[in-house]
Amino acid sequence: MKQYFALLIALLLPVIIFAQHTQKPPLHGKNWMAITGKPLAAEAGAMIFQQGGNAVDAACAMIAATCTMWDVLSWGGETQALIYNPKTKKVIAINALGVAPTGATVDFFKNKGMAFPPEYGPLAAVTPGTPGGICYMLAEYGTMSLKQVLAPAMQLAAGYPIEAQTANSMERGKKMIKQWPYSKAVFLPHEGQQREAPEPGEIFVQKDLLETLTKMVEAEQQALENKKNRKDAIYAAYDRFYKGDIAKEFVRGAQEQGGLITMEDLAKWKPVEEEPMHVNYKGIEVYKLQQWTQGPSMLQALNILENFDLESMGYNSARYMNTLYQAMSLSFADRDFYYGDPYFPPEEPMKGLLDKTYARQRAALINLDKSNPTIGPGDPYPFEGKTNPYLNILKQRGFTIDSTNKTIPGAIPKHDAAQINAMQQKDVVRNISAPDSAYIDRLWRGTTSVEAADKDGWVVSVTPSGGWLPACIAGHTGVGMSQRLQSFVLDSALDPFNVIEPGKRPRVTLTPTLAMKDGKPFMAFGVQGGDTQDQNLLQCFLNVVEFGMTIQEAAEASNINSDQLWLSLGGEQIKDRQPHPGSILVNSDTPDYVRSALRKMGYTLSIGERTSGPINAIYFDWKHGSFWGGSSNNGEDYGIGW
């Protein structure tokens, strides 16, 4: 009888899952769609669409608005985007990530006793990328002036009712904020009172930032008066930020507070337009940014998972979760060792890493019956006709790889073995008072995402970030500096491709996604959340493709998160970033029998009520000629469609 009921549950489970009501309704539109991390910022995108702008114009307005609202990022951060151009019918990639400044060397930080560059403050900063990224996208692919696109952000800088999430973040971070005079002046308007940050709903004013944005618009308008065309006028604003009086004040303010960024660093930096990377998953082309992001790890995971019948396993069954977890562990192990800035040597073995035969070898390592804590980096070099020059480093790390890309049994790094032995097979509720709260904060560290599409076929997916609270503002610019330098390593044994060097980009977690089917846009989606980004985006995609969910169901659906990876953010010591093999986050709606099965497989469970992202996504309904918008119930993210 028990077997009968178990079979009945298994057969009905997909029906039960997909019949559920979502907490947010899906968005619908036939002309345009604008989705991002704050309702007011989504409204900024809607305003641009209503004025006749395209999806690129709207996306730029939303990035500007989210930066101005400190939606876990600032104007001094970085922007990375995928754009579908309907005129050329190609997906292009925009790399607007800043670089390590002059003097940011391994010896500089090691002499300060650091294992990684710092998490916060002026020494954590790469050069600003977002102003340049916005100007480049707008000039090359938008239709409007910078004055039009920045208008919503400038209205916000002049004063807007700040929401509780951001205001409370300022209050929590006030001890650190008080170290930096320009930050203190902006974020703590009630210094000396019990609550020094703005109150929720208080009109939050940023005079210095408004002046900076005004200067950029003035440069553009002056260029137009001098008979420059729209594109050249936007680049005049770009030059004022990176070479003019804004740059001078930024550098002065940064260096006054101990930062390294120079005028030459700003003048030499430029955004780069690139070819994205992509793989075909069951007839769908999935596009990601290059290996200076973690994006290709999702492509690797898809190549691995293509070797399994996921649909027959059932959504979020123990077997599915175990397979998914190990596929992600395999791809993240490669990410952690082989990814870095492609513009600096050594050359990353991306051709081998994305090879389908390599993926089949990696897929063969998945144990369908239990967790696999021995997973380490593979050897993609033979799939490029080369010999791996880093096998000795891998061996020192405890990973010996045979000709089938199998890690030799027993070659588990000592730190992993100790963690495995210490694991307890019981649930640990994740909350702010949990023992691992600092680790989880670094794993999930957020930003925002921007998704936009229009009836003419333009599609934009962006994951901007950097300069999050508590941020160090550079002088009287109102611009919070990025903290992305912390994503570098100082030891080549950790990742020989991602060692800090002036002018180099750190390997970041930021990872927008575009998917194409039959030559047309299929999905545009992104998410915030540090190292969990490609984990959540992978599952959102599979929810639609394998399990037939609508985009809103897919965005809200319960996901798992793996801790079996090296953290990309935070932590002062090596041990703070080390993987936790077998540690898995599952949703509180996971049935007891699934939890029990996972424990028997060797997993340590943590439980969360909302495990979906927050994901923002657009699905293209070509049958009806409309857009579906999805935004998960995990955060303030939402959008507007028309």
Side-chain angles (χ1 to χ4, degrees), residues 116 332-333 335-337 397 399 413 415-416 439 443 489 493-494 507 509 531 563-569 573-580:
F116 299 99
F332 276 113
R335 177 206 74 166
D336 293 339
F337 190 75
R397 291 270 303 275
F399 298 111
H415 62 261
D416 286 354
Y439 176 91
L443 177 72
V489 299
L494 293 178
R507 195 271 298 153
T509 56
D531 292 294
D563 299 334
Q564 194 162 321
L565 46 75
W566 282 84
L567 293 184
S568 304
L569 299 167
Q573 304 298 326
I574 297 291
K575 62 180 177 62
D576 297 329
R577 295 198 185 185
Q578 288 174 346
H580 291 254

Side-chain angles (χ1 to χ4, degrees), residues 357-368:
T357 305
Y358 175 71
R360 284 194 291 273
Q361 283 195 0
R362 297 291 271 167
L365 302 180
I366 292 178
N367 189 324
L368 295 176

Side-chain angles (χ1 to χ4, degrees), residues 551-564:
I551 199 65
Q552 184 60 39
E553 288 172 333
E556 283 194 27
S558 302
N559 287 346
I560 65 167
N561 281 175
S562 165
D563 299 334
Q564 194 162 321

Side-chain angles (χ1 to χ4, degrees), residues 492-552:
S492 61
L494 293 178
D495 180 351
F497 302 89
N498 190 36
V499 180
I500 195 168
E501 186 177 341
K504 190 175 184 179
R505 298 165 182 82
R507 195 271 298 153
V508 298
T509 56
L510 306 162
T511 176
T513 319
L514 276 178
M516 304 284 294
K517 186 177 182 181
D518 300 327
K520 299 177 181 179
F522 177 69
M523 285 174 63
F525 50 122
V527 69
Q528 60 166 288
D531 292 294
T532 68
Q533 287 184 37
D534 274 309
Q535 301 186 42
N536 287 310
L537 295 177
L538 173 66
Q539 291 168 83
C540 178
F541 177 77
L542 294 174
N543 288 343
V544 173
V545 175
E546 295 288 355
F547 302 113
M549 297 188 194
T550 68
I551 199 65
Q552 184 60 39

Side-chain angles (χ1 to χ4, degrees), residues 337-515:
F337 190 75
Y338 291 115
Y339 287 21
D341 187 350
Y343 300 99
F344 276 67
E347 182 182 359
E348 298 82 4
M350 300 311 298
K351 180 181 178 182
L353 288 170
L354 295 178
D355 187 272
K356 295 281 189 179
T357 305
Y358 175 71
R360 284 194 291 273
Q361 283 195 0
R362 297 291 271 167
L365 302 180
I366 292 178
N367 189 324
L368 295 176
D369 299 316
K370 61 181 180 180
S371 170
N372 184 355
T374 70
I375 286 173
D379 184 4
Y381 282 90
F383 300 89
E384 298 186 349
K386 301 175 183 176
T387 300
N388 193 332
Y390 302 106
L391 291 177
N392 284 338
I393 293 179
L394 289 170
K395 191 171 183 179
Q396 292 169 10
R397 291 270 303 275
F399 298 111
T400 302
I401 306 168
D402 69 11
S403 60
T404 64
N405 258 300
K406 181 178 181 181
T407 303
I408 303 300
I412 307 172
K414 292 180 180 179
H415 62 261
D416 286 354
Q419 288 167 353
I420 294 165
N421 293 334
M423 285 182 178
Q424 298 177 348
Q425 299 303 310
K426 63 180 182 180
D427 293 349
V428 179
V429 178
R430 281 185 175 172
N431 54 50
I432 198 164
S433 62
D436 60 345
S437 60
Y439 176 91
I440 297 307
D441 171 68
R442 296 192 293 271
L443 177 72
W444 290 352
R445 194 157 288 172
T447 174
T448 195
S449 59
V450 172
E451 310 300 320
D454 63 44
K455 60 181 174 54
D456 293 326
W458 289 95
V459 185
V460 186
S461 181
V462 194
T463 314
S465 189
W468 52 76
L469 295 168
C472 179
I473 291 177
H476 292 291
T477 63
V479 173
M481 290 186 277
S482 171
Q483 301 96 339
R484 194 58 60 175
L485 212 68
Q486 66 186 288
S487 291
F488 278 115
V489 299
L490 305 182
D491 187 347
S492 61
L494 293 178
D495 180 351
F497 302 89
N498 190 36
V499 180
I500 195 168
E501 186 177 341
K504 190 175 184 179
R505 298 165 182 82
R507 195 271 298 153
V508 298
T509 56
L510 306 162
T511 176
T513 319
L514 276 178

Side-chain angles (χ1 to χ4, degrees), residues 108-181:
F108 176 85
F109 291 106
K110 283 191 172 181
N111 288 339
K112 292 181 176 294
M114 298 179 180
F116 299 99
E119 288 187 66
Y120 294 101
L123 286 180
V126 295
T127 55
T130 291
I134 288 176
C135 287
Y136 183 87
M137 288 191 290
L138 184 63
E140 300 297 330
Y141 298 106
T143 65
M144 289 184 156
S145 68
L146 189 66
K147 180 180 180 179
Q148 290 173 295
V149 166
L150 291 190
M154 294 173 73
Q155 292 178 45
L156 291 167
Y160 74 95
I162 194 169
E163 72 289 350
Q165 184 185 62
T166 303
N168 291 340
S169 180
M170 293 174 182
E171 180 68 12
R172 285 193 304 272
K174 64 183 180 181
K175 183 177 180 180
M176 191 177 296
I177 288 170
K178 288 179 180 180
Q179 300 176 62
W180 310 311

Side-chain angles (χ1 to χ4, degrees), residues 149-310:
V149 166
L150 291 190
M154 294 173 73
Q155 292 178 45
L156 291 167
Y160 74 95
I162 194 169
E163 72 289 350
Q165 184 185 62
T166 303
N168 291 340
S169 180
M170 293 174 182
E171 180 68 12
R172 285 193 304 272
K174 64 183 180 181
K175 183 177 180 180
M176 191 177 296
I177 288 170
K178 288 179 180 180
Q179 300 176 62
W180 310 311
Y182 305 102
S183 297
K184 182 173 68 173
V186 174
F187 300 136
L188 304 179
H190 310 302
E191 188 181 8
Q193 300 180 24
Q194 183 175 358
R195 182 185 175 95
E196 299 179 289
E199 296 180 357
E202 181 178 337
I203 304 302
F204 178 53
V205 178
Q206 302 172 77
K207 292 181 180 179
D208 287 345
L209 178 60
L210 178 59
E211 183 177 352
T212 293
L213 300 181
T214 300
K215 287 178 178 178
M216 293 179 69
V217 169
E218 286 175 350
E220 177 198 46
Q221 296 303 301
Q222 183 62 50
L224 290 172
E225 290 176 11
N226 293 335
K227 309 302 181 183
K228 298 290 185 181
N229 61 34
R230 185 190 73 90
K231 182 186 294 188
D232 289 343
I234 293 170
Y235 284 128
Y238 174 102
D239 285 342
R240 188 168 186 181
F241 188 96
Y242 287 95
K243 300 175 183 177
D245 56 343
I246 300 173
K248 290 177 182 176
E249 177 58 18
F250 184 95
V251 169
R252 186 203 66 78
Q255 292 186 354
E256 176 195 332
Q257 297 173 94
L260 298 173
I261 295 173
T262 68
M263 286 291 291
E264 185 179 6
D265 291 330
L266 293 184
K268 287 174 62 177
W269 179 87
K270 287 181 174 59
V272 182
E273 183 173 321
E274 301 173 333
E275 287 287 331
M277 292 189 164
H278 63 99
V279 299
N280 186 290
Y281 182 84
K282 299 185 177 181
I284 300 171
E285 293 288 338
V286 183
Y287 289 84
K288 302 291 282 190
L289 298 170
Q290 292 185 18
Q291 65 269 24
W292 52 273
T293 74
Q294 68 171 333
S297 66
M298 177 176 160
L299 304 183
Q300 286 191 248
L302 286 172
N303 278 348
I304 293 168
L305 291 169
E306 199 171 33
N307 295 280
F308 299 91
D309 185 355
L310 301 179

